[in-house]
Amino acid sequence: CTDLELLPQDKADPNAVLSEEENYESFLARIYAGLSVTGQQGPAGASDIASLDEGFSNYLRQYWQLQELPTESSVIAWGDAGLPELIYQSWTSDNQFIRAIYYRIFFQVSIANEFLRETTPERLDSRGIREGFRPTVEGFRAEARFLRALSYWHGIDMFGDVIFYTEEDGIGGSPPAQRSRAEVFAFIESELSAIENQLPAIGAAEYGRADRGALYMLQAKLYQNAEVYTGQERNGEAVAALEKIIDSGAYSLEEEYADLFKADNHTSNELIWTITFDGDNTQGFGGLTYLTHAPVGGSMNPEDYGINGGWFGLRTTKALVNKFPDVTGEADERAIFYTDGQSLEIDNISEFTQGYAVPKYTNVTSDGVVGSDPRFADTDFPMFRLGDAYLMYAESVLRGGGGSRDRALELVNALRERAYNGTAGNITDADLTLDFILDERARELYWEAHRRTDLIRFDSFSTNGVWPWKGGIPEGRTTSAIYNLYPIPSSEILSNPNLRQTEGY
Amino acid sequence: QTTVAGTITDQESGEPLIGASILAVGTSTGTITDFDGVYSLEVPEGVTQLQFSYTGYPTVIENINGRTTIDLAIQPGQLLDEVVVVGYGAVKKSDLTGSVNTIDNESFNQGAIVSPTNLIAGKVAGVNISSGSGNPGEGPTVRIRGGTSINASNDPLYVIDGVPLANDGVAGGRSPLNFLNPDDIASMTVLKDASAAAIYGSRGANGVILITTKKGSSGAPSISYRAEGTVSSVINRQQNLDAEAFRNVVTFAAPERLGILGNTSTNWFDELTQTGYGTQQNLSISGGGETNTYRVSAGYQQLEGVLRGAETERISLNLNFTQKLFSDKLIVGASIKGANENNVFDPGVINAALDFDPTQPIYDADNTAYAGFFEYGNSLAPRNPVSATEQISNTGKTYRGIGNLDLEYKFDDLIPGLSYKAVLGFDVNSGESNRFVPTTFATLATNGFVGEFNINNALRTSKLFDTYLTYAKEFGNQTASLQVGYSYQDFNFEGPSIQGQNLTTDAFGTANPGVAEDIFAYNSVVENRLISFFGRLNYNIDERYLFTASLRRDGSSRFGPSNRWGLFPSAALAWRILQEDFAAGLNNTFSELKLRVGYGVTGNQDFGDYLYLPVYQYSDQRTQYQFGDRFVSTIRPNAYDESLKWEETSSINVGLDFGFFNNRLSGIVEYYQKTTDDLIFTVNVPAGTNLSDRVTTNIGALENQGVELTLNGVIVDQAKFGLDVTGNVSFQQTEITRLSGSGSADIQTGGIAGGVGNTVQLLRVGATPYSFYLYQQKYGADGRPLRDGVDYNEDGVANNLDIYEDLNGDGVLNDQDLTINEAPMPDVLLGFTANARYGKLNLGFTLRGNLGNYVYNNAASNGGNLSRIDLGANYVSNVHASAVYTRFDRPQYFSDYYLESGSFLRLDNLTASYDFGQLANNALNLRVYATAQNLFILTNYSGNDPEGNGIDNSPFPRARIYTLGARIGL
């Protein structure tokens, strides 16, 4: 006997998996889930990537940390190697968190590519997929391309020039080449227009999935930051994309600001697209588990936030707190700070009680009911929401993208009326400046993983702008412009000879 | 068929040797001498040699040469020809061409030994056997010549009575070899070099340990019974503070935290440790008739650990039977070994014992939610370790059976010298572990659910079919033997498990999963197969030049079609110099002088299955994704490398065997060099080239060389008094010579306790694998490490620049300033055994040592900082005593201050025995003995124990074990 052909039994051969129609949806769901979970076992196990602790390396957790920790909006107490350097803007190419998001981003690109390779008409033929199911697969392919474009956007936003590869490049081939930020920008742009009509209409997708609403938001994000990415401003196109969203009438502002971040926020009509989490079915130590646990400590009672215990980690600096008229939230209800036993000043970032705590995300519903499992939040992450679209619209108008200044003012005041429970906080046309927008974005969108990108667009991230602990000192100082980009992880520079390290690292 | 008879006597005294055994070589036919030293044996046809053996005397092999009377006077302690198993057969020791060491049961270590490999710890040069931990029955780590791999296994291949084992254990067990009762082992043979191990092809790279169990011999039943009792005591080298010292530290460093402290004094370590008692009993009966022999044995062993609750129990049965048929042309051998092992595991409390505040009480009667134990109501706080020990149940049981049926047929009628052998074998290893945590245990309550159980089942089976033809021929002064064979072995594993959370009652333990609100079920099923063709040629010219060549072709299901088959050749040459005419003059001085040179290629395929295939993995029910109102299960394509192949080690071995003064002094000196290519690493691959950031693939090479010296000396050898000593020393060096396809990528590894994702070791070209990679600590004038939080360099900030050397002088302290350091692998291994006898009294000991091995004291680096008492939460953690000296405020995980020399010398074993000899009119014989294990260790290492993987963070207390036993023979 010389038979050595053994097929796995608890995992499946691709041909077997993809000859069943229902598995195509499961495969697609995995690309979405790549933003939310970390492996194939919950809360951790069979990890997608291996070079960092699984829960730590979660896509959203690291995307969030890299967008928020180097800004005025947050500090974290823990001393894990590389973590304080994110707060200080003094990271190196060996930083494990930068490595994690890098590999998570390209894991998403890789499995989206794999999905596209395995769903070509030839492959569907060879697996006997019936004609009637093919349009469904076409729709799935558009969603896969949307998710790939999203991750490529995160890639150029954080790393600048990145590796580029598509479904044409198979597994086990030579390392991909690096493309300029502008080239990848152009690819994302063309992908988004190519799939526009294949995605469901605005607001028409089932919850959790991308439709044209999500697509227009991603277009608007790209165009709004186009000057940073390509040197060429595209504010007019940003306005056009945002108008499609606002004019559609598919979305409306949530009545209570805080309800946007609670365990039942999937019912909110303001959310355009979310990353979903669930205490029973979508578990992990990243994402909303992190965002509901890490900011709790000191004298805070974990039960008030629907969680089993605080992680004594995240707080904010006075630079964010001072943008609000008062800390209690009485005037502007968006000021969700916990101050009892917490000091405003931070002498020691590793002391949880220094700096106000921010229980913005909770695992309690708007009715006060605790989520399904206090260990893992039910709350979804608002990747794109209407409030952001309003402020983006106003900013693009101010940057000369056309549109209507009156409408911009009206939209900004809509957000302020919600925040102030009335017109007390409304601004006038004279108040509507770019500086105001930057601050208003801090007030409206803090801890929603936009801040680093915003500050860089306003040139206030590194060489300008000072807040506590920026530069590694309590009072803060400016840093070098090299920190506007994250370095390519050193492990990647070593293993891919095609890569050139980002200037300055 | 002829009958050979004779008398066997002691050469010096002329006294008859009673009960000496005589074996027809190549068969299982044998007998023993009577009270007058007389034997008579019907010698099967085709047998040309008889083997004579007797305890305390060398084994002698005599050529029959047509004689019917063979009288023998044997000199005690004289070392003559022994037969050594070499895999698919046996050869005379004098005919060996490779590096092969045999330790028989006379030389085994004594004492409370659960795991068989502990029997030969310290006995063989180049073989490092380090005890795992203080857990009763924990298997040791065995490394032959330093290991050849980095990611794949470095464990040797174990072959028991011809059946190669899978090294993996199953749930519920401690060490997979524990099923074998050490009392049933006749000898263990280590194949160290590739020329010897290459016959095991793709599994031989880390050496092979052949275990031969005891067989019966013809004659009246002989009964042997052994009983022993053991006492284990804890060796406490822990360095956490007691209540008073801890209170002082808090008063000094964080007086505002004094209010959180309790007002009692609890030594958590003492509360969790105990004196462990154990017992072992073995009964064996062996004998045989004209054409058959048998041996049956039963063993029972029970051993408590020094940690409260930890316990192991084993019941073993062993049956060996040989039957000769068709005028002895067909020999049928059957063997069944079975064992049931029951384990109670401690729930993992030692770290909690070191962390828990020593000023807090064990009990708090008001705390009814937590069963009356004191606990902090905080999910991050350490848990009361006494509560864990008393409430959590963690048990396992395994059943393992190995059986083999051997058929050997001699075609002497047809073609003299031709024989055929077939081995059919099975190995069934089944285990179950049960862990139950009641609803009253605090970790669960503060983590949002109450009560938990885990039930893990595992079934590992393997089937073996080996068959080979042997043809031997003599022509003139030359003999040649040729062997060709085929081998098939199939391994299956299935491991379903159930986890339940949120229990409605504690009443059922793990017996009724229905009481869990949340149930999760898992399974894992894998299979792999090995198919081989092999051949070996032995050629002997005039007992002067010995030549062995072997070739094995292996196929493994773990690789894709293009890499599935590999070829593993070997060749070795030995020259017995004393047989040369020109060496005649040396015969007075030398009794043995043999030069051996060998070369061979071996492989290693001991890692995961199906890694070459694209596979899709389904999610469990906790990693679904929400689409609308539905939660959709997901499937993920896994990373793979379709060109994966095994690691290949080619090695050269040069050895000299020598003996002086009638072998009163003998020894072996050897040099080896091994190059392992296609090292299997799980490495970073460029993003975009695969479906994960790391892929298991072949990248890199490793070089490994060493010198080994073994010396045996019979210092005194008189009738009344004797003393012999054996010492071995080996020098070894391992270096990574290539990593990754694209240059010299370092790979950081060596995760530690403390923080997340912190590593302290490195794989780098030119360095020893797993070298430590740390900052250089700066020291003050008082010799203490500079403490953190002080701006020594007066640059305005207190940071790492103040306390670590900025090696590249760029004014920034970052990863560029980490330096490569020593490694955990020892440079020198030492073993020393001495045995003295005076009349009927015997005294022996085994010393074992390592030099040049380094240890990262993770217990100190993680616990030795004052921030543990200032966590900003409502609890404090005890600190490691080093914090009082270093005054570190924050953990300094990457300081080389924590890197220490782990060189040690350990007295593994001290045994005294008294042999009463024949008692009660020769009706029985009796031997009593006492053994002490782990009596002392000499080391400068400040932590718990310098032995381990180099990162000392699992401070399970080691035990000192005393054993008292007696053996009665009937």
Side-chain angles (χ1 to χ4, degrees):
Chain A
C1 175
T2 55
D3 181 20
L4 291 167
E5 202 70 52
L6 299 178
L7 283 178
Q9 296 169 67
D10 56 5
K11 300 183 185 64
D13 173 57
N15 288 317
V17 172
L18 295 175
S19 52
E20 293 177 23
E21 282 177 12
E22 56 269 37
N23 285 333
Y24 287 80
E25 186 184 55
S26 289
F27 195 174
L28 175 71
R30 188 58 184 80
I31 313 176
Y32 282 97
L35 303 168
S36 173
V37 301
T38 52
Q40 290 301 76
Q41 285 171 16
S47 180
D48 304 328
I49 68 168
S51 38
L52 190 72
D53 173 77
E54 183 181 340
F56 239 61
S57 70
N58 169 264
Y59 193 114
L60 179 59
R61 179 167 173 171
Q62 290 320 324
Y63 181 65
W64 190 95
Q65 288 203 149
L66 266 55
Q67 287 286 61
E68 297 289 351
L69 289 180
T71 73
E72 77 274 51
S73 55
S74 64
V75 294
I76 194 162
W78 311 326
D80 305 289
L83 195 53
E85 286 78 0
L86 294 182
I87 300 166
Y88 305 157
Q89 293 194 9
S90 66
W91 50 76
T92 68
S93 61
D94 255 11
N95 190 287
Q96 54 174 331
F97 304 95
I98 297 172
R99 188 165 80 230
I101 192 63
Y102 185 90
Y103 287 124
R104 285 284 174 196
I105 284 172
F106 292 107
F107 172 75
Q108 289 295 98
V109 174
S110 293
I111 56 165
N113 283 342
E114 179 80 355
F115 184 89
L116 295 172
R117 268 193 296 274
E118 295 295 341
T119 52
T120 58
E122 300 75 44
R123 287 292 169 96
L124 298 179
D125 287 344
S126 77
R127 284 162 181 155
I129 298 299
R130 69 191 162 92
E131 283 301 326
F133 188 63
R134 306 244 172 149
T136 309
V137 175
E138 275 309 302
F140 289 172
R141 286 174 63 87
E143 288 176 75
R145 289 167 75 181
F146 168 78
L147 290 166
R148 180 174 67 178
L150 175 87
S151 285
Y152 265 128
W153 168 54
H154 289 161
I156 61 168
D157 185 70
M158 291 198 266
F159 297 99
D161 301 345
V162 293
I163 51 167
F164 180 77
Y165 58 107
T166 67
E167 69 271 25
E168 309 289 329
D169 307 285
I171 299 297
S174 49
Q178 196 169 15
R179 292 272 183 96
S180 75
R181 211 178 195 186
E183 284 174 295
V184 180
F185 177 98
F187 170 77
I188 303 169
E189 188 185 11
S190 73
E191 280 289 283
L192 293 180
S193 24
I195 61 174
E196 179 177 348
N197 292 322
Q198 293 169 30
L199 285 179
I202 290 189
E206 8 174 35
Y207 185 76
R209 296 172 66 174
D211 55 25
R212 280 174 230 167
L215 180 128
Y216 297 140
M217 274 303 276
L218 180 50
Q219 280 181 335
K221 290 278 177 197
L222 267 186
Y223 293 133
Q224 184 163 63
N225 293 290
E227 191 162 359
V228 174
Y229 301 150
T230 68
Q232 206 116 51
E233 69 85 14
R234 308 277 291 270
N235 288 303
E237 285 150 292
V239 167
L242 291 161
E243 276 173 345
K244 289 182 201 162
I245 293 167
I246 299 165
D247 293 344
S248 73
Y251 313 104
S252 57
L253 288 190
E254 181 67 35
E255 212 163 295
E256 282 295 319
Y257 176 79
D259 290 351
L260 285 167
F261 314 102
K262 290 187 174 168
D264 56 349
N265 63 350
H266 60 279
T267 60
S268 171
N269 201 37
E270 182 174 338
L271 302 183
I272 297 169
W273 184 52
T274 62
I275 301 177
T276 71
F277 294 87
D278 186 78
D280 286 333
N281 302 299
T282 315
Q283 297 181 351
F285 295 108
L288 264 292
T289 297
Y290 167 75
L291 288 177
T292 51
H293 285 74
V296 176
S299 63
M300 302 164 84
N301 180 7
E303 283 169 31
D304 295 346
Y305 310 103
I307 57 168
N308 58 315
W311 292 357
F312 294 80
L314 291 169
R315 291 100 61 211
T316 189
T317 74
K318 65 180 176 186
L320 174 67
V321 175
N322 291 341
K323 290 189 194 324
F324 288 93
D326 76 331
V327 301
T328 62
E330 198 137 312
D332 184 338
E333 67 175 27
R334 295 173 300 188
I336 304 175
F337 300 120
Y338 183 93
T339 56
D340 193 13
Q342 305 289 124
S343 61
L344 179 61
E345 298 288 339
I346 304 170
D347 291 327
N348 178 357
I349 56 165
S350 48
E351 196 64 65
F352 183 82
T353 52
Q354 300 189 10
Y356 290 164
V358 185
K360 179 170 176 174
Y361 297 96
T362 69
N363 187 30
V364 179
T365 67
S366 50
D367 298 331
V369 179
V370 171
S372 52
D373 188 328
R375 291 171 295 166
F376 306 104
D378 284 344
T379 318
D380 299 335
F381 183 76
M383 189 69 125
F384 296 137
R385 65 178 172 96
L386 189 64
D388 186 16
Y390 282 6
L391 289 174
M392 288 167 72
Y393 178 85
E395 182 184 331
S396 298
V397 170
L398 290 179
R399 288 185 188 275
S404 153
R405 196 176 161 95
D406 288 346
R407 191 176 193 190
L409 183 64
E410 188 187 311
L411 294 176
V412 170
N413 277 332
L415 294 174
R416 293 186 65 86
E417 276 166 37
R418 170 171 69 181
Y420 282 79
N421 282 315
T423 54
N426 283 19
I427 59 163
T428 64
D429 185 76
D431 298 328
L432 190 64
T433 63
L434 280 174
D435 285 345
F436 172 84
I437 293 286
L438 182 61
D439 282 349
E440 187 66 8
R441 286 188 69 81
R443 286 183 288 264
E444 176 70 26
L445 296 161
Y446 68 94
W447 284 38
E448 292 181 48
H450 301 294
R451 194 60 183 166
R452 177 187 150 277
T453 304
D454 289 347
L455 287 170
I456 290 171
R457 188 172 64 251
F458 282 85
D459 193 20
S460 304
F461 181 69
S462 53
T463 48
N464 298 312
V466 171
W467 53 82
W469 290 101
K470 180 177 169 182
I473 55 173
E475 59 278 19
R477 59 182 172 191
T478 58
T479 64
S480 156
I482 67 164
Y483 296 110
N484 285 348
L485 286 175
Y486 286 109
I488 311 277
S490 53
S491 57
E492 192 62 7
I493 295 285
L494 287 168
S495 58
N496 185 346
N498 299 332
L499 277 174
R500 196 180 56 255
Q501 184 54 279
T502 311
E503 186 80 29
Y505 289 100
Chain B
Q1 209 170 12
T2 55
T3 302
V4 176
T7 308
I8 301 180
T9 52
D10 178 289
Q11 197 181 54
E12 285 174 7
S13 63
E15 291 287 316
L17 297 181
I18 305 160
S21 61
I22 297 94
L23 181 73
V25 172
T27 73
S28 306
T29 305
T31 184
I32 56 171
T33 54
D34 63 14
F35 290 127
D36 301 316
V38 174
Y39 73 95
S40 171
L41 181 68
E42 283 189 20
V43 180
E45 257 171 64
V47 171
T48 57
Q49 294 178 317
L50 291 184
Q51 174 187 317
F52 300 87
S53 55
Y54 190 68
T55 303
Y57 291 76
T59 298
V60 178
I61 291 181
E62 285 282 310
N63 288 322
I64 300 172
N65 290 339
R67 289 181 288 175
T68 53
T69 303
I70 299 178
D71 294 330
L72 205 62
I74 316 178
Q75 188 172 359
Q78 193 179 334
L79 297 164
L80 290 180
D81 269 347
E82 296 171 48
V83 168
V84 175
V85 292
V86 291
Y88 307 106
V91 298
K92 279 194 300 182
K93 192 176 176 190
S94 60
D95 287 355
L96 281 175
T97 54
S99 181
V100 176
N101 294 62
T102 295
I103 304 294
D104 66 19
N105 58 338
E106 289 303 318
S107 309
F108 283 164
N109 288 321
Q110 306 270 334
I113 284 169
V114 185
S115 197
T117 42
N118 280 327
L119 293 169
I120 58 169
K123 302 286 187 187
V124 185
V127 179
N128 190 19
I129 298 174
S130 56
S131 41
S133 77
N135 247 317
E138 187 80 20
T141 304
V142 179
R143 292 289 172 266
I144 297 175
R145 292 183 163 175
T148 55
S149 185
I150 285 182
N151 260 49
S153 170
N154 274 315
D155 293 332
L157 171 68
Y158 295 97
V159 180
I160 299 181
D161 289 338
V163 180
L165 302 186
N167 280 348
D168 312 288
V170 294
R174 280 199 156 108
S175 166
L177 271 181
N178 281 6
F179 80 99
L180 197 59
N181 183 351
D183 224 39
D184 289 331
I185 299 176
S187 71
M188 292 173 79
T189 298
V190 184
L191 310 182
K192 289 196 292 195
D193 75 333
S195 72
I199 197 70
Y200 287 103
S202 65
R203 302 173 75 188
N206 293 305
V208 182
I209 295 184
L210 306 169
I211 298 176
T212 309
T213 61
K214 290 175 184 165
K215 310 287 191 298
S217 48
S218 294
S222 97
I223 299 171
S224 168
Y225 173 72
R226 182 159 77 96
E228 60 185 37
T230 63
V231 180
S232 308
S233 68
V234 66
I235 301 174
N236 186 359
R237 291 171 60 93
Q238 308 304 329
Q239 290 186 302
N240 280 41
L241 301 178
D242 64 18
E244 194 192 339
F246 183 62
R247 193 179 295 279
N248 288 342
V249 167
V250 177
T251 308
F252 157 77
E256 73 280 7
R257 307 280 289 165
L258 279 170
I260 299 173
L261 300 190
N263 45 25
T264 51
S265 171
T266 305
N267 186 327
W268 295 101
F269 189 80
D270 288 352
E271 294 296 334
L272 293 168
T273 51
Q274 65 180 8
T275 300
Y277 297 93
T279 165
Q280 175 167 348
Q281 298 177 63
N282 292 293
L283 177 69
S284 69
I285 303 168
S286 67
E290 288 271 301
T291 56
N292 54 40
T293 65
Y294 64 87
R295 181 176 185 277
V296 289
S297 75
Y300 173 79
Q301 182 171 37
Q302 181 265 342
L303 200 58
E304 285 174 348
V306 292
L307 209 52
R308 260 173 70 186
E311 188 180 330
T312 191
E313 179 191 53
R314 176 180 60 207
I315 300 161
S316 61
L317 291 168
N318 193 352
L319 169 67
N320 276 316
F321 180 75
T322 313
Q323 176 73 52
K324 281 174 262 179
L325 298 161
F326 310 126
S327 349
D328 297 349
K329 281 202 286 282
L330 177 66
I331 303 169
V332 182
S335 167
I336 292 183
K337 307 165 200 41
N340 160 227
E341 191 187 332
N342 293 308
N343 286 306
V344 184
F345 301 94
D346 86 274
V349 293
I350 269 295
N351 282 314
L354 301 181
D355 284 352
F356 214 81
D357 177 357
T359 67
Q360 299 294 354
I362 299 172
Y363 301 102
D364 174 3
D366 297 338
N367 205 353
T368 50
Y370 302 149
F373 288 98
F374 173 83
E375 291 282 8
Y376 297 107
N378 182 311
S379 65
L380 299 178
R383 289 295 146 235
N384 182 329
V386 177
S387 166
T389 285
E390 294 198 358
Q391 296 200 65
I392 298 174
S393 128
N394 197 357
T395 62
K397 52 178 180 246
T398 64
Y399 294 90
R400 188 165 193 183
I402 292 192
N404 55 291
L405 180 68
D406 299 1
L407 302 167
E408 188 176 355
Y409 191 83
K410 294 184 193 314
F411 293 95
D412 283 352
D413 297 348
L414 233 59
I415 305 167
L418 183 68
S419 66
Y420 169 79
K421 185 156 184 179
V423 179
L424 287 159
F426 71 85
D427 176 359
V428 178
N429 194 358
S430 143
E432 179 178 320
S433 74
N434 286 283
R435 182 167 182 275
F436 174 71
V437 187
T439 56
T440 47
F441 187 63
T443 295
L444 305 184
T446 57
N447 275 300
F449 64 109
V450 287
E452 182 178 46
F453 62 75
N454 292 280
I455 305 168
N456 290 290
N457 285 278
L459 178 64
R460 198 178 282 284
T461 56
S462 111
K463 299 185 286 283
L464 170 77
F465 175 59
D466 270 357
T467 176
Y468 53 94
L469 273 171
T470 308
Y471 179 66
K473 189 163 175 61
E474 277 187 48
F475 26 95
N477 63 353
Q478 300 168 28
T479 56
S481 82
L482 180 71
Q483 229 172 18
V484 288
Y486 165 83
S487 169
Y488 172 97
Q489 197 167 9
D490 186 77
F491 303 87
N492 275 279
F493 174 80
E494 189 160 352
S497 64
I498 308 175
Q499 181 181 31
Q501 287 178 345
N502 281 323
L503 310 183
T504 52
T505 169
D506 290 337
F508 300 106
T510 59
N512 184 352
V515 302
E517 273 174 44
D518 303 306
I519 294 259
F520 306 99
Y522 305 92
N523 198 3
S524 163
V525 183
V526 290
E527 182 181 11
N528 76 293
R529 187 176 294 158
L530 279 166
I531 291 171
S532 316
F533 302 91
F534 58 90
R536 180 167 56 197
L537 173 71
N538 286 309
Y539 195 68
N540 178 335
I541 304 174
D542 199 19
E543 294 288 322
R544 227 185 304 178
Y545 308 109
L546 309 163
F547 175 71
T548 308
S550 70
L551 188 65
R552 180 166 174 134
R553 182 166 160 78
D554 262 358
S556 165
S557 66
R558 284 188 164 138
F559 308 103
S562 53
N563 296 303
R564 197 160 276 165
W565 292 91
L567 212 53
F568 300 93
S570 86
L573 197 65
W575 178 30
R576 299 187 66 201
I577 300 169
L578 293 183
Q579 308 294 317
E580 296 285 355
D581 294 340
F582 68 76
L586 295 172
N587 268 323
N588 293 333
T589 324
F590 286 97
S591 40
E592 169 71 292
L593 196 58
K594 180 160 82 174
L595 182 66
R596 294 180 279 107
V597 180
Y599 168 81
V601 180
T602 48
N604 189 351
Q605 51 110 49
D606 207 353
F607 54 93
D609 294 299
Y610 316 118
L611 294 173
Y612 77 94
L613 272 176
V615 292
Y616 280 38
Q617 182 167 358
Y618 280 73
S619 67
D620 66 11
Q621 70 261 47
R622 290 189 272 187
T623 43
Q624 299 174 326
Y625 200 76
Q626 187 173 359
F627 276 5
D629 298 331
R630 301 167 297 139
F631 285 92
V632 180
S633 286
T634 70
I635 50 176
R636 179 187 70 192
N638 283 358
Y640 65 99
D641 174 9
E642 60 181 3
S643 56
L644 193 69
K645 65 182 296 252
W646 43 57
E647 293 180 353
E648 213 164 82
T649 301
S650 45
S651 65
I652 306 169
N653 191 79
V654 181
L656 182 72
D657 300 350
F658 55 87
F660 298 98
F661 320 124
N662 214 6
N663 273 349
R664 285 284 290 268
L665 178 65
S666 64
I668 306 168
V669 56
E670 282 188 280
Y671 167 79
Y672 64 87
Q673 190 194 17
K674 302 195 276 189
T675 305
T676 303
D677 226 318
D678 294 321
L679 276 179
I680 292 178
F681 271 19
T682 300
V683 289
N684 286 315
V685 289
T689 57
N690 215 309
L691 294 160
S692 184
D693 58 330
R694 283 195 181 174
V695 174
T696 303
T697 186
N698 302 97
I699 284 173
L702 192 71
E703 212 169 85
N704 190 310
Q705 57 179 341
V707 174
E708 295 165 359
L709 175 68
T710 305
L711 279 178
N712 302 298
V714 181
I715 310 289
V716 183
D717 186 25
Q718 290 169 356
K720 204 85 178 141
F721 179 58
L723 173 66
D724 52 78
V725 296
T726 301
N728 61 70
V729 53
S730 42
F731 303 86
Q732 56 177 18
Q733 197 189 347
T734 303
E735 185 185 307
I736 297 174
T737 51
R738 186 164 52 78
L739 275 185
S740 117
S742 60
S744 59
D746 291 343
I747 297 173
Q748 277 179 280
T749 180
I752 57 168
V756 174
N758 290 331
T759 60
V760 295
Q761 290 173 323
L762 194 70
L763 304 176
R764 170 179 283 178
V765 171
T768 306
Y770 297 104
S771 292
F772 292 100
Y773 194 52
L774 300 165
Y775 291 127
Q776 279 183 19
Q777 177 75 45
K778 290 185 190 173
Y779 292 85
D782 58 357
R784 294 192 195 197
L786 292 186
R787 57 183 295 200
D788 55 334
V790 181
D791 183 15
Y792 292 101
N793 62 7
E794 295 172 353
D795 64 351
V797 278
N799 58 17
N800 280 349
L801 263 179
D802 293 296
I803 59 171
Y804 297 128
E805 298 289 350
D806 176 18
L807 290 178
N808 64 358
D810 63 355
V812 184
L813 201 93
N814 58 17
D815 52 285
Q816 317 271 321
D817 300 300
L818 292 164
T819 65
I820 193 112
N821 262 295
E822 308 283 352
M825 199 181 101
D827 301 326
V828 183
L829 305 174
L830 300 167
F832 184 80
T833 299
N835 278 299
R837 69 183 156 80
Y838 181 79
K840 293 173 169 177
L841 183 67
N842 264 281
L843 204 64
F845 66 84
T846 302
L847 275 170
R848 188 168 57 82
N850 287 350
L851 301 177
N853 55 311
Y854 277 75
V855 184
Y856 173 81
N857 190 341
N858 198 187
S861 73
N862 193 29
N865 64 83
L866 299 171
S867 65
R868 294 165 69 83
I869 55 181
D870 198 9
L871 300 162
N874 65 341
Y875 66 93
V876 290
S877 283
N878 199 349
V879 298
H880 188 270
S882 66
V884 177
Y885 180 73
T886 63
R887 296 157 299 163
F888 285 148
D889 186 41
R890 315 277 318 157
Q892 300 301 325
Y893 297 121
F894 305 109
S895 170
D896 64 1
Y897 173 72
Y898 294 112
L899 186 60
E900 299 183 38
S901 164
S903 298
F904 70 88
L905 185 68
R906 192 193 288 275
L907 182 61
D908 260 354
N909 204 298
L910 176 68
T911 299
S913 68
Y914 190 83
D915 196 341
F916 288 92
Q918 301 291 335
L919 295 174
N921 278 336
N922 290 341
L924 59 85
N925 57 64
L926 174 69
R927 179 172 170 265
V928 294
Y929 56 91
T931 297
Q933 285 163 270
N934 202 6
L935 261 189
F936 72 78
I937 181 167
L938 297 177
T939 181
N940 283 330
Y941 178 63
S942 71
N944 186 46
D945 199 299
E947 270 194 275
N949 68 356
I951 296 176
D952 178 16
N953 62 10
S954 79
F956 198 104
R958 308 265 164 164
R960 181 172 293 143
I961 308 177
Y962 302 95
T963 305
L964 192 64
R967 180 192 293 275
I968 299 167
L970 294 172

